[in-house]
Amino acid sequence: MATVELTFSALPAHVRTARLVATAIARRTGVEESLLDEVRLAVGEACSRAVEAHRLHCPGEPIRIELRDDLGRFEVTVTDSAPSDELEQDRALLRFDDPLVQLPDALMSGFGIAVIVGLADDVQVYPSQKGMRIRMSWPAATNGLSPA
């Protein structure tokens, strides 16, 4: 299992860089070529949501992205530090593997999460008062990342 971590400041221009890095690593981990656009778009949505939240609540804090190859899956986790206090705190994990799941209104800002759910094979959202973590994954080849 290999992991790549990336942090960036809450500037919209950095979303493009995050998308490019995620797509390049997805390709290298063996994600099918036909899924690379979905990876790029989902990562862009998650990062755009994080940038918007940071610009409102904590513009000086970095956004963190973790990209990993784990047991035949390519996983991307986008973590922000903006409080999600409008969410029900007893919902520590929101899973979206059922396409008919009802999304809480607080997660629907800009419909970003709904778009991500439509693009990623598996999506988990972890809201808290300390920020939100969005984990997305897609099937990948089992050979994983290898040193260049």
Side-chain angles (χ1 to χ4, degrees), residues 3 10 35 49 73-74 90 116:
T3 301
L35 295 176
R49 196 215 61 78
R73 308 278 310 161
F74 172 63
D90 58 342
I116 293 167

Side-chain angles (χ1 to χ4, degrees), residues 17-40:
T17 302
R19 288 189 330 227
L20 292 171
V21 169
T23 304
I25 293 173
R27 180 177 283 120
R28 188 170 174 147
T29 61
V31 172
E32 288 185 26
E33 196 70 29
S34 63
L35 295 176
L36 294 179
D37 279 341
E38 280 84 355
V39 171
R40 181 179 55 79

